[in-house]
Amino acid sequence: TQRVITQRVITQRVITQGFYAEGYYAEGFYAEGYYAEGVITQRVITQRVITQRVITQRVITQRFILGPMGNPLFSVHDNLSPVVSVEQNFDSLLIPPDHPSRKKGDNYYINRTTMLRAHTSAHQRELVSAGLDAFLLAGDVYRRDEIDCSHYPVFHQMEGVRLFSNHELFSAVEGGELLSLFEPNGRRTPQKQEEHSLEAVKLLEFNLKSTLTSLIQQLFSPEVELRWVDCFFPFTHPSFELEVLFRGQWMEVLGCGVMEQRILRSAGAEHKLGWAFGLGLERLAMVLFDIPDIRLFWSRDERFLEQFRGGDLHRPISFKPLSKFPSLHNDISFWLPESGSFSQNDFFDLVRSVGGDLVEQVTRVDQFTHPKTGRSSECYRIVYRHMERTLTQQEVKQTHERIESAAESQLGVRGRY
Ligand code: FA5
Ligand code: MG
């Protein structure tokens, strides 16, 4: 079942990928069947478990799918296998070979050339190559990441891409027929790529930001507090992130930007300019339904699930949060292996796979290097909380001890317990 979606589920997916049957959803039911040796190897998710996300996904799709004349504008894809090549996930997006996002400790590699996609951008080039110039693509993505209320190793993204020809971009502008998308012999600046004209990029950026701002306002409310943050992605320039104020804190919900022209060129769309975005569906659903913790997306608690039945887009759901059960915390400190092989994300991943959804948050609280021996030690605080009941000291102690011994045997650390 879905409680702990870690190495086991991933391994299972990898084994069954060759037999991948179908992922479909219809009103009231969502199931993905993975077949191996003629047997359905579980992973049947009833609609209840992911309705919040599916509702969010549908609201967004409805908002995008039709153009100004009621014509279909964006095509929608939610069926692409999460098993992609390393080339798709990184190289096709100009992510350099030594880029930190490729680290083994941050990704789920299957072998040297294959991995579980870490973002839906992995499919950008193939869909543009297929001739699409406006599409939405939703899917599960996999990352070894931090552990807190808004990060989970499996989550869902929705990618949006829209390409514009000269006419499409400038026709609404007075005198637009005199403008051009491209500027020969241009220079790359913080505002634009070398081959783009500044006026094209500014219009595109305006179109992108206003599309996303109005999406978010429509999804939440016109009063939602948002801010745009400049950032960097190897596959877009300029690039931005959008943050939403949620429970008093800024939460990042999407990344976006003007697509690198080299990518469009490699996909045979060199005469167009494009924008792309990738949004976190759980993050949006958290704001939409006031869900305080991302682990709740995997909850089987009826009091939580029954609130999302039906999934009627036109009847706003006001989620009533369950009261929070008390948390317990426990620290773990250890000497790092001298080989330097320790990575934080390996530790987070181990805590997730041993502690499952009992673990709410892991933070490093101390770091120390011995002045004489030069050996380093680190201390982490693990916060335990069950979403549906009160944990006992005894339960936490047992889990904590299992984490301690797994860390020693799998990561080569030496406990200071
Ligand atoms: C990306 O993944 C880029 N591919 C987005 C993009 C697409 C940029 C197209 C430009 C053009 P990032 O790593 O920031 O960017 O993730 C995008 C969103 O996914 C985040 O804003 C957040 O909403 C969500 N997200 C990221 N990590 C997690 C996680 N561990 N758990 C839940 N949601 C996450
Ligand atoms: Mg980001």
Side-chain angles (χ1 to χ4, degrees), residues 118-121 124 143 145-146 150-153 155 157 159-160 233 235-236 241 252-257 276-280 282-283 294:
H119 53 179
T120 43
S121 304
Q124 272 186 16
R143 288 186 198 177
D145 213 331
E146 300 158 47
S150 65
H151 287 85
Y152 208 73
F155 60 101
Q157 284 188 338
E159 192 87 1
F233 296 106
F235 37 97
T236 49
E241 283 178 340
E252 181 201 314
V253 295
L254 65 88
C256 67
F277 63 78
L279 44 85
E282 280 84 358
R283 297 264 180 102
I294 198 165

PDB file of all heavy atoms in Angstrom, residues 118-121 124 143 145-146 150-153 155 157 159-160 233 235-236 241 252-257 276-280 282-283 294, ligand 1:
ATOM      1  N   ALA A 118      12.876  13.242 -12.077  1.00  0.00           N
ATOM      2  CA  ALA A 118      12.904  14.126 -10.914  1.00  0.00           C
ATOM      3  C   ALA A 118      12.044  15.352 -11.151  1.00  0.00           C
ATOM      4  O   ALA A 118      11.805  16.141 -10.244  1.00  0.00           O
ATOM      5  CB  ALA A 118      14.339  14.547 -10.615  1.00  0.00           C
ATOM      6  N   HIS A 119      11.602  15.533 -12.372  1.00  0.00           N
ATOM      7  CA  HIS A 119      10.662  16.615 -12.697  1.00  0.00           C
ATOM      8  C   HIS A 119       9.993  16.293 -14.037  1.00  0.00           C
ATOM      9  O   HIS A 119      10.517  15.531 -14.839  1.00  0.00           O
ATOM     10  CB  HIS A 119      11.346  17.986 -12.732  1.00  0.00           C
ATOM     11  CG  HIS A 119      12.568  18.076 -13.612  1.00  0.00           C
ATOM     12  ND1 HIS A 119      13.286  19.227 -13.770  1.00  0.00           N
ATOM     13  CD2 HIS A 119      13.190  17.155 -14.398  1.00  0.00           C
ATOM     14  CE1 HIS A 119      14.287  19.017 -14.604  1.00  0.00           C
ATOM     15  NE2 HIS A 119      14.255  17.777 -14.994  1.00  0.00           N
ATOM     16  N   THR A 120       8.834  16.917 -14.245  1.00  0.00           N
ATOM     17  CA  THR A 120       8.120  16.655 -15.498  1.00  0.00           C
ATOM     18  C   THR A 120       8.796  17.349 -16.682  1.00  0.00           C
ATOM     19  O   THR A 120       8.492  17.029 -17.833  1.00  0.00           O
ATOM     20  CB  THR A 120       6.644  17.094 -15.383  1.00  0.00           C
ATOM     21  OG1 THR A 120       6.583  18.364 -14.735  1.00  0.00           O
ATOM     22  CG2 THR A 120       5.838  16.096 -14.583  1.00  0.00           C
ATOM     23  N   SER A 121       9.732  18.263 -16.398  1.00  0.00           N
ATOM     24  CA  SER A 121      10.476  18.892 -17.498  1.00  0.00           C
ATOM     25  C   SER A 121      11.212  17.852 -18.338  1.00  0.00           C
ATOM     26  O   SER A 121      11.575  18.128 -19.490  1.00  0.00           O
ATOM     27  CB  SER A 121      11.490  19.898 -16.956  1.00  0.00           C
ATOM     28  OG  SER A 121      10.869  20.867 -16.158  1.00  0.00           O
ATOM     29  N   GLN A 124       9.826  17.672 -21.775  1.00  0.00           N
ATOM     30  CA  GLN A 124       9.664  18.870 -22.626  1.00  0.00           C
ATOM     31  C   GLN A 124      10.084  18.625 -24.060  1.00  0.00           C
ATOM     32  O   GLN A 124       9.325  18.872 -25.003  1.00  0.00           O
ATOM     33  CB  GLN A 124      10.528  20.017 -22.090  1.00  0.00           C
ATOM     34  CG  GLN A 124       9.874  20.866 -21.051  1.00  0.00           C
ATOM     35  CD  GLN A 124      10.747  22.073 -20.692  1.00  0.00           C
ATOM     36  OE1 GLN A 124      11.685  22.437 -21.392  1.00  0.00           O
ATOM     37  NE2 GLN A 124      10.426  22.684 -19.570  1.00  0.00           N
ATOM     38  N   ARG A 143      12.188  12.333  -5.830  1.00  0.00           N
ATOM     39  CA  ARG A 143      13.427  12.988  -5.401  1.00  0.00           C
ATOM     40  C   ARG A 143      13.771  12.571  -3.991  1.00  0.00           C
ATOM     41  O   ARG A 143      12.885  12.460  -3.146  1.00  0.00           O
ATOM     42  CB  ARG A 143      13.250  14.505  -5.348  1.00  0.00           C
ATOM     43  CG  ARG A 143      13.161  15.131  -6.671  1.00  0.00           C
ATOM     44  CD  ARG A 143      13.134  16.624  -6.502  1.00  0.00           C
ATOM     45  NE  ARG A 143      12.620  17.209  -7.723  1.00  0.00           N
ATOM     46  CZ  ARG A 143      12.412  18.496  -7.898  1.00  0.00           C
ATOM     47  NH1 ARG A 143      12.695  19.331  -6.927  1.00  0.00           N
ATOM     48  NH2 ARG A 143      11.958  18.931  -9.036  1.00  0.00           N
ATOM     49  N   ASP A 145      14.940  14.156  -0.886  1.00  0.00           N
ATOM     50  CA  ASP A 145      14.865  15.577  -0.557  1.00  0.00           C
ATOM     51  C   ASP A 145      14.783  15.731   0.954  1.00  0.00           C
ATOM     52  O   ASP A 145      14.787  14.757   1.703  1.00  0.00           O
ATOM     53  CB  ASP A 145      13.606  16.139  -1.234  1.00  0.00           C
ATOM     54  CG  ASP A 145      13.774  17.576  -1.687  1.00  0.00           C
ATOM     55  OD1 ASP A 145      14.563  18.292  -1.057  1.00  0.00           O
ATOM     56  OD2 ASP A 145      13.108  17.964  -2.664  1.00  0.00           O
ATOM     57  N   GLU A 146      14.671  16.962   1.381  1.00  0.00           N
ATOM     58  CA  GLU A 146      14.531  17.238   2.809  1.00  0.00           C
ATOM     59  C   GLU A 146      13.249  16.605   3.350  1.00  0.00           C
ATOM     60  O   GLU A 146      12.382  16.216   2.588  1.00  0.00           O
ATOM     61  CB  GLU A 146      14.397  18.745   3.034  1.00  0.00           C
ATOM     62  CG  GLU A 146      15.545  19.562   2.561  1.00  0.00           C
ATOM     63  CD  GLU A 146      15.112  21.005   2.334  1.00  0.00           C
ATOM     64  OE1 GLU A 146      14.439  21.565   3.213  1.00  0.00           O
ATOM     65  OE2 GLU A 146      15.453  21.541   1.279  1.00  0.00           O
ATOM     66  N   SER A 150       6.392  20.204   3.744  1.00  0.00           N
ATOM     67  CA  SER A 150       6.070  20.453   2.336  1.00  0.00           C
ATOM     68  C   SER A 150       6.969  19.682   1.364  1.00  0.00           C
ATOM     69  O   SER A 150       6.948  19.938   0.162  1.00  0.00           O
ATOM     70  CB  SER A 150       6.118  21.953   2.032  1.00  0.00           C
ATOM     71  OG  SER A 150       7.418  22.448   2.179  1.00  0.00           O
ATOM     72  N   HIS A 151       7.786  18.765   1.870  1.00  0.00           N
ATOM     73  CA  HIS A 151       8.629  17.941   0.985  1.00  0.00           C
ATOM     74  C   HIS A 151       8.297  16.472   1.169  1.00  0.00           C
ATOM     75  O   HIS A 151       8.185  15.995   2.301  1.00  0.00           O
ATOM     76  CB  HIS A 151      10.119  18.116   1.306  1.00  0.00           C
ATOM     77  CG  HIS A 151      10.664  19.432   0.867  1.00  0.00           C
ATOM     78  ND1 HIS A 151      10.562  20.557   1.637  1.00  0.00           N
ATOM     79  CD2 HIS A 151      11.320  19.796  -0.258  1.00  0.00           C
ATOM     80  CE1 HIS A 151      11.135  21.566   1.003  1.00  0.00           C
ATOM     81  NE2 HIS A 151      11.605  21.139  -0.147  1.00  0.00           N
ATOM     82  N   TYR A 152       8.207  15.760   0.057  1.00  0.00           N
ATOM     83  CA  TYR A 152       7.965  14.320   0.118  1.00  0.00           C
ATOM     84  C   TYR A 152       8.749  13.675  -1.027  1.00  0.00           C
ATOM     85  O   TYR A 152       8.925  14.298  -2.068  1.00  0.00           O
ATOM     86  CB  TYR A 152       6.455  14.048  -0.019  1.00  0.00           C
ATOM     87  CG  TYR A 152       6.053  12.778   0.671  1.00  0.00           C
ATOM     88  CD1 TYR A 152       6.007  12.711   2.059  1.00  0.00           C
ATOM     89  CD2 TYR A 152       5.744  11.638  -0.062  1.00  0.00           C
ATOM     90  CE1 TYR A 152       5.655  11.535   2.697  1.00  0.00           C
ATOM     91  CE2 TYR A 152       5.388  10.461   0.579  1.00  0.00           C
ATOM     92  CZ  TYR A 152       5.353  10.418   1.959  1.00  0.00           C
ATOM     93  OH  TYR A 152       5.015   9.263   2.587  1.00  0.00           O
ATOM     94  N   PRO A 153       9.220  12.437  -0.860  1.00  0.00           N
ATOM     95  CA  PRO A 153      10.047  11.839  -1.918  1.00  0.00           C
ATOM     96  C   PRO A 153       9.285  11.548  -3.215  1.00  0.00           C
ATOM     97  O   PRO A 153       9.888  11.439  -4.269  1.00  0.00           O
ATOM     98  CB  PRO A 153      10.586  10.551  -1.296  1.00  0.00           C
ATOM     99  CG  PRO A 153       9.850  10.351  -0.028  1.00  0.00           C
ATOM    100  CD  PRO A 153       9.221  11.628   0.370  1.00  0.00           C
ATOM    101  N   PHE A 155       6.109  13.120  -5.349  1.00  0.00           N
ATOM    102  CA  PHE A 155       5.066  14.138  -5.427  1.00  0.00           C
ATOM    103  C   PHE A 155       4.670  14.287  -6.889  1.00  0.00           C
ATOM    104  O   PHE A 155       5.135  13.524  -7.733  1.00  0.00           O
ATOM    105  CB  PHE A 155       5.512  15.457  -4.777  1.00  0.00           C
ATOM    106  CG  PHE A 155       6.737  16.089  -5.397  1.00  0.00           C
ATOM    107  CD1 PHE A 155       6.613  17.151  -6.281  1.00  0.00           C
ATOM    108  CD2 PHE A 155       8.006  15.637  -5.108  1.00  0.00           C
ATOM    109  CE1 PHE A 155       7.734  17.749  -6.854  1.00  0.00           C
ATOM    110  CE2 PHE A 155       9.142  16.217  -5.674  1.00  0.00           C
ATOM    111  CZ  PHE A 155       8.996  17.271  -6.541  1.00  0.00           C
ATOM    112  N   GLN A 157       3.955  16.812 -10.285  1.00  0.00           N
ATOM    113  CA  GLN A 157       4.152  18.113 -10.906  1.00  0.00           C
ATOM    114  C   GLN A 157       3.247  18.240 -12.109  1.00  0.00           C
ATOM    115  O   GLN A 157       2.858  17.234 -12.717  1.00  0.00           O
ATOM    116  CB  GLN A 157       5.595  18.292 -11.384  1.00  0.00           C
ATOM    117  CG  GLN A 157       6.572  18.583 -10.264  1.00  0.00           C
ATOM    118  CD  GLN A 157       7.955  18.940 -10.784  1.00  0.00           C
ATOM    119  OE1 GLN A 157       8.312  18.594 -11.908  1.00  0.00           O
ATOM    120  NE2 GLN A 157       8.737  19.611  -9.957  1.00  0.00           N
ATOM    121  N   GLU A 159       3.530  20.261 -15.700  1.00  0.00           N
ATOM    122  CA  GLU A 159       4.366  21.071 -16.570  1.00  0.00           C
ATOM    123  C   GLU A 159       3.461  21.758 -17.576  1.00  0.00           C
ATOM    124  O   GLU A 159       2.491  21.160 -18.064  1.00  0.00           O
ATOM    125  CB  GLU A 159       5.319  20.116 -17.315  1.00  0.00           C
ATOM    126  CG  GLU A 159       6.444  20.784 -18.056  1.00  0.00           C
ATOM    127  CD  GLU A 159       7.644  21.000 -17.139  1.00  0.00           C
ATOM    128  OE1 GLU A 159       7.608  20.609 -15.950  1.00  0.00           O
ATOM    129  OE2 GLU A 159       8.625  21.562 -17.646  1.00  0.00           O
ATOM    130  N   GLY A 160       3.762  23.000 -17.883  1.00  0.00           N
ATOM    131  CA  GLY A 160       3.029  23.682 -18.953  1.00  0.00           C
ATOM    132  C   GLY A 160       4.034  24.290 -19.907  1.00  0.00           C
ATOM    133  O   GLY A 160       5.044  24.843 -19.464  1.00  0.00           O
ATOM    134  N   PHE A 233      17.408  28.340 -13.645  1.00  0.00           N
ATOM    135  CA  PHE A 233      17.318  26.955 -14.123  1.00  0.00           C
ATOM    136  C   PHE A 233      18.178  26.869 -15.385  1.00  0.00           C
ATOM    137  O   PHE A 233      18.172  27.807 -16.180  1.00  0.00           O
ATOM    138  CB  PHE A 233      15.880  26.570 -14.504  1.00  0.00           C
ATOM    139  CG  PHE A 233      14.905  26.569 -13.357  1.00  0.00           C
ATOM    140  CD1 PHE A 233      13.965  27.577 -13.229  1.00  0.00           C
ATOM    141  CD2 PHE A 233      14.918  25.557 -12.406  1.00  0.00           C
ATOM    142  CE1 PHE A 233      13.058  27.592 -12.171  1.00  0.00           C
ATOM    143  CE2 PHE A 233      14.013  25.563 -11.352  1.00  0.00           C
ATOM    144  CZ  PHE A 233      13.087  26.574 -11.236  1.00  0.00           C
ATOM    145  N   PHE A 235      17.557  25.358 -17.991  1.00  0.00           N
ATOM    146  CA  PHE A 235      16.726  25.204 -19.191  1.00  0.00           C
ATOM    147  C   PHE A 235      15.829  26.386 -19.477  1.00  0.00           C
ATOM    148  O   PHE A 235      15.065  26.367 -20.439  1.00  0.00           O
ATOM    149  CB  PHE A 235      15.915  23.903 -19.106  1.00  0.00           C
ATOM    150  CG  PHE A 235      15.426  23.568 -17.719  1.00  0.00           C
ATOM    151  CD1 PHE A 235      14.148  23.894 -17.332  1.00  0.00           C
ATOM    152  CD2 PHE A 235      16.263  22.935 -16.804  1.00  0.00           C
ATOM    153  CE1 PHE A 235      13.696  23.592 -16.044  1.00  0.00           C
ATOM    154  CE2 PHE A 235      15.829  22.636 -15.516  1.00  0.00           C
ATOM    155  CZ  PHE A 235      14.545  22.969 -15.137  1.00  0.00           C
ATOM    156  N   THR A 236      15.870  27.419 -18.620  1.00  0.00           N
ATOM    157  CA  THR A 236      15.109  28.629 -18.926  1.00  0.00           C
ATOM    158  C   THR A 236      15.968  29.848 -18.602  1.00  0.00           C
ATOM    159  O   THR A 236      16.836  29.804 -17.726  1.00  0.00           O
ATOM    160  CB  THR A 236      13.815  28.730 -18.073  1.00  0.00           C
ATOM    161  OG1 THR A 236      14.130  28.505 -16.708  1.00  0.00           O
ATOM    162  CG2 THR A 236      12.757  27.741 -18.533  1.00  0.00           C
ATOM    163  N   GLU A 241      10.515  32.008  -9.751  1.00  0.00           N
ATOM    164  CA  GLU A 241       9.705  31.126  -8.909  1.00  0.00           C
ATOM    165  C   GLU A 241       8.571  31.945  -8.317  1.00  0.00           C
ATOM    166  O   GLU A 241       8.733  33.140  -8.065  1.00  0.00           O
ATOM    167  CB  GLU A 241      10.555  30.501  -7.799  1.00  0.00           C
ATOM    168  CG  GLU A 241      11.404  29.359  -8.348  1.00  0.00           C
ATOM    169  CD  GLU A 241      12.332  28.691  -7.354  1.00  0.00           C
ATOM    170  OE1 GLU A 241      12.659  29.290  -6.311  1.00  0.00           O
ATOM    171  OE2 GLU A 241      12.751  27.551  -7.631  1.00  0.00           O
ATOM    172  N   GLU A 252       7.052  28.045  -1.829  1.00  0.00           N
ATOM    173  CA  GLU A 252       7.295  28.053  -3.263  1.00  0.00           C
ATOM    174  C   GLU A 252       6.348  27.056  -3.935  1.00  0.00           C
ATOM    175  O   GLU A 252       6.283  25.900  -3.537  1.00  0.00           O
ATOM    176  CB  GLU A 252       8.742  27.636  -3.488  1.00  0.00           C
ATOM    177  CG  GLU A 252       9.145  27.618  -4.929  1.00  0.00           C
ATOM    178  CD  GLU A 252      10.363  26.737  -5.126  1.00  0.00           C
ATOM    179  OE1 GLU A 252      11.328  26.844  -4.345  1.00  0.00           O
ATOM    180  OE2 GLU A 252      10.329  25.937  -6.072  1.00  0.00           O
ATOM    181  N   VAL A 253       5.605  27.502  -4.951  1.00  0.00           N
ATOM    182  CA  VAL A 253       4.678  26.579  -5.610  1.00  0.00           C
ATOM    183  C   VAL A 253       5.064  26.223  -7.039  1.00  0.00           C
ATOM    184  O   VAL A 253       4.604  25.217  -7.566  1.00  0.00           O
ATOM    185  CB  VAL A 253       3.210  27.070  -5.577  1.00  0.00           C
ATOM    186  CG1 VAL A 253       2.693  27.124  -4.146  1.00  0.00           C
ATOM    187  CG2 VAL A 253       3.035  28.415  -6.260  1.00  0.00           C
ATOM    188  N   LEU A 254       5.889  27.035  -7.681  1.00  0.00           N
ATOM    189  CA  LEU A 254       6.251  26.694  -9.057  1.00  0.00           C
ATOM    190  C   LEU A 254       7.537  27.382  -9.481  1.00  0.00           C
ATOM    191  O   LEU A 254       7.955  28.383  -8.902  1.00  0.00           O
ATOM    192  CB  LEU A 254       5.130  27.093 -10.022  1.00  0.00           C
ATOM    193  CG  LEU A 254       4.801  28.578 -10.185  1.00  0.00           C
ATOM    194  CD1 LEU A 254       5.645  29.253 -11.273  1.00  0.00           C
ATOM    195  CD2 LEU A 254       3.334  28.737 -10.551  1.00  0.00           C
ATOM    196  N   GLY A 255       8.157  26.803 -10.520  1.00  0.00           N
ATOM    197  CA  GLY A 255       9.291  27.416 -11.187  1.00  0.00           C
ATOM    198  C   GLY A 255       8.921  27.599 -12.652  1.00  0.00           C
ATOM    199  O   GLY A 255       8.145  26.818 -13.203  1.00  0.00           O
ATOM    200  N   CYS A 256       9.482  28.622 -13.295  1.00  0.00           N
ATOM    201  CA  CYS A 256       9.117  28.861 -14.699  1.00  0.00           C
ATOM    202  C   CYS A 256      10.142  29.750 -15.380  1.00  0.00           C
ATOM    203  O   CYS A 256      11.070  30.228 -14.737  1.00  0.00           O
ATOM    204  CB  CYS A 256       7.732  29.503 -14.782  1.00  0.00           C
ATOM    205  SG  CYS A 256       7.668  31.175 -14.099  1.00  0.00           S
ATOM    206  N   GLY A 257       9.944  29.975 -16.668  1.00  0.00           N
ATOM    207  CA  GLY A 257      10.838  30.885 -17.368  1.00  0.00           C
ATOM    208  C   GLY A 257      10.698  30.779 -18.875  1.00  0.00           C
ATOM    209  O   GLY A 257       9.852  30.045 -19.395  1.00  0.00           O
ATOM    210  N   ALA A 276       7.813  28.028 -20.203  1.00  0.00           N
ATOM    211  CA  ALA A 276       7.497  26.750 -19.563  1.00  0.00           C
ATOM    212  C   ALA A 276       7.360  26.983 -18.070  1.00  0.00           C
ATOM    213  O   ALA A 276       7.972  27.901 -17.521  1.00  0.00           O
ATOM    214  CB  ALA A 276       8.609  25.736 -19.822  1.00  0.00           C
ATOM    215  N   PHE A 277       6.526  26.185 -17.443  1.00  0.00           N
ATOM    216  CA  PHE A 277       6.462  26.230 -15.976  1.00  0.00           C
ATOM    217  C   PHE A 277       6.325  24.817 -15.446  1.00  0.00           C
ATOM    218  O   PHE A 277       5.911  23.896 -16.175  1.00  0.00           O
ATOM    219  CB  PHE A 277       5.294  27.104 -15.481  1.00  0.00           C
ATOM    220  CG  PHE A 277       3.914  26.608 -15.859  1.00  0.00           C
ATOM    221  CD1 PHE A 277       3.311  25.564 -15.168  1.00  0.00           C
ATOM    222  CD2 PHE A 277       3.211  27.192 -16.908  1.00  0.00           C
ATOM    223  CE1 PHE A 277       2.040  25.102 -15.503  1.00  0.00           C
ATOM    224  CE2 PHE A 277       1.937  26.747 -17.257  1.00  0.00           C
ATOM    225  CZ  PHE A 277       1.359  25.694 -16.554  1.00  0.00           C
ATOM    226  N   GLY A 278       6.678  24.620 -14.173  1.00  0.00           N
ATOM    227  CA  GLY A 278       6.477  23.337 -13.512  1.00  0.00           C
ATOM    228  C   GLY A 278       5.939  23.615 -12.126  1.00  0.00           C
ATOM    229  O   GLY A 278       6.602  24.279 -11.328  1.00  0.00           O
ATOM    230  N   LEU A 279       4.721  23.161 -11.859  1.00  0.00           N
ATOM    231  CA  LEU A 279       4.180  23.466 -10.536  1.00  0.00           C
ATOM    232  C   LEU A 279       3.990  22.220  -9.698  1.00  0.00           C
ATOM    233  O   LEU A 279       3.818  21.114 -10.203  1.00  0.00           O
ATOM    234  CB  LEU A 279       2.910  24.304 -10.641  1.00  0.00           C
ATOM    235  CG  LEU A 279       1.824  23.975 -11.647  1.00  0.00           C
ATOM    236  CD1 LEU A 279       0.912  22.940 -11.046  1.00  0.00           C
ATOM    237  CD2 LEU A 279       1.061  25.241 -11.964  1.00  0.00           C
ATOM    238  N   GLY A 280       4.045  22.420  -8.395  1.00  0.00           N
ATOM    239  CA  GLY A 280       3.922  21.313  -7.447  1.00  0.00           C
ATOM    240  C   GLY A 280       2.453  21.146  -7.081  1.00  0.00           C
ATOM    241  O   GLY A 280       1.879  22.002  -6.418  1.00  0.00           O
ATOM    242  N   GLU A 282       0.838  18.983  -5.090  1.00  0.00           N
ATOM    243  CA  GLU A 282       0.513  18.847  -3.664  1.00  0.00           C
ATOM    244  C   GLU A 282       0.602  20.199  -2.960  1.00  0.00           C
ATOM    245  O   GLU A 282      -0.218  20.516  -2.103  1.00  0.00           O
ATOM    246  CB  GLU A 282       1.445  17.852  -2.961  1.00  0.00           C
ATOM    247  CG  GLU A 282       1.080  16.386  -3.184  1.00  0.00           C
ATOM    248  CD  GLU A 282       1.653  15.837  -4.475  1.00  0.00           C
ATOM    249  OE1 GLU A 282       2.296  16.585  -5.226  1.00  0.00           O
ATOM    250  OE2 GLU A 282       1.454  14.620  -4.732  1.00  0.00           O
ATOM    251  N   ARG A 283       1.613  20.978  -3.322  1.00  0.00           N
ATOM    252  CA  ARG A 283       1.766  22.292  -2.669  1.00  0.00           C
ATOM    253  C   ARG A 283       0.532  23.158  -2.915  1.00  0.00           C
ATOM    254  O   ARG A 283       0.039  23.821  -2.011  1.00  0.00           O
ATOM    255  CB  ARG A 283       3.000  23.019  -3.207  1.00  0.00           C
ATOM    256  CG  ARG A 283       4.302  22.313  -2.935  1.00  0.00           C
ATOM    257  CD  ARG A 283       4.984  22.854  -1.696  1.00  0.00           C
ATOM    258  NE  ARG A 283       6.233  22.140  -1.467  1.00  0.00           N
ATOM    259  CZ  ARG A 283       7.430  22.640  -1.771  1.00  0.00           C
ATOM    260  NH1 ARG A 283       7.538  23.828  -2.311  1.00  0.00           N
ATOM    261  NH2 ARG A 283       8.520  21.930  -1.534  1.00  0.00           N
ATOM    262  N   ILE A 294       2.187  17.538   4.028  1.00  0.00           N
ATOM    263  CA  ILE A 294       2.144  16.823   2.749  1.00  0.00           C
ATOM    264  C   ILE A 294       1.913  15.317   2.940  1.00  0.00           C
ATOM    265  O   ILE A 294       1.405  14.634   2.056  1.00  0.00           O
ATOM    266  CB  ILE A 294       3.424  17.116   1.934  1.00  0.00           C
ATOM    267  CG1 ILE A 294       3.228  16.778   0.455  1.00  0.00           C
ATOM    268  CG2 ILE A 294       4.646  16.432   2.525  1.00  0.00           C
ATOM    269  CD1 ILE A 294       4.287  17.357  -0.454  1.00  0.00           C
TER     270      ILE A 294
HETATM  271  C1  FA5 B   1      11.560  22.130 -11.207  1.00  0.00           C
HETATM  272  O1  FA5 B   1      11.332  20.981 -10.958  1.00  0.00           O
HETATM  273  C2  FA5 B   1      11.585  22.672 -12.610  1.00  0.00           C
HETATM  274  N1  FA5 B   1      11.532  21.549 -13.526  1.00  0.00           N
HETATM  275  C3  FA5 B   1      10.400  23.609 -12.799  1.00  0.00           C
HETATM  276  C4  FA5 B   1      10.427  24.339 -14.101  1.00  0.00           C
HETATM  277  C5  FA5 B   1       9.714  23.848 -15.189  1.00  0.00           C
HETATM  278  C6  FA5 B   1      11.193  25.484 -14.253  1.00  0.00           C
HETATM  279  C7  FA5 B   1       9.744  24.507 -16.415  1.00  0.00           C
HETATM  280  C8  FA5 B   1      11.239  26.136 -15.465  1.00  0.00           C
HETATM  281  C9  FA5 B   1      10.504  25.655 -16.528  1.00  0.00           C
HETATM  282  P1  FA5 B   1      11.676  22.805  -8.666  1.00  0.00           P
HETATM  283  O2  FA5 B   1      12.698  21.862  -8.259  1.00  0.00           O
HETATM  284  O3  FA5 B   1      11.725  24.163  -8.034  1.00  0.00           O
HETATM  285  O4  FA5 B   1      11.728  23.093 -10.245  1.00  0.00           O
HETATM  286  O5  FA5 B   1      10.248  22.160  -8.395  1.00  0.00           O
HETATM  287  C10 FA5 B   1       9.055  22.748  -8.881  1.00  0.00           C
HETATM  288  C11 FA5 B   1       7.961  22.701  -7.822  1.00  0.00           C
HETATM  289  O6  FA5 B   1       7.753  21.357  -7.376  1.00  0.00           O
HETATM  290  C12 FA5 B   1       8.317  23.467  -6.554  1.00  0.00           C
HETATM  291  O7  FA5 B   1       8.050  24.841  -6.722  1.00  0.00           O
HETATM  292  C13 FA5 B   1       7.399  22.810  -5.542  1.00  0.00           C
HETATM  293  O8  FA5 B   1       6.085  23.334  -5.655  1.00  0.00           O
HETATM  294  C14 FA5 B   1       7.377  21.374  -5.985  1.00  0.00           C
HETATM  295  N2  FA5 B   1       8.309  20.532  -5.204  1.00  0.00           N
HETATM  296  C15 FA5 B   1       9.663  20.466  -5.316  1.00  0.00           C
HETATM  297  N3  FA5 B   1      10.182  19.547  -4.452  1.00  0.00           N
HETATM  298  C16 FA5 B   1       9.126  19.003  -3.787  1.00  0.00           C
HETATM  299  C17 FA5 B   1       8.983  17.966  -2.774  1.00  0.00           C
HETATM  300  N4  FA5 B   1      10.036  17.281  -2.282  1.00  0.00           N
HETATM  301  N5  FA5 B   1       7.740  17.679  -2.312  1.00  0.00           N
HETATM  302  C18 FA5 B   1       6.665  18.334  -2.802  1.00  0.00           C
HETATM  303  N6  FA5 B   1       6.716  19.298  -3.763  1.00  0.00           N
HETATM  304  C19 FA5 B   1       7.929  19.640  -4.244  1.00  0.00           C
END
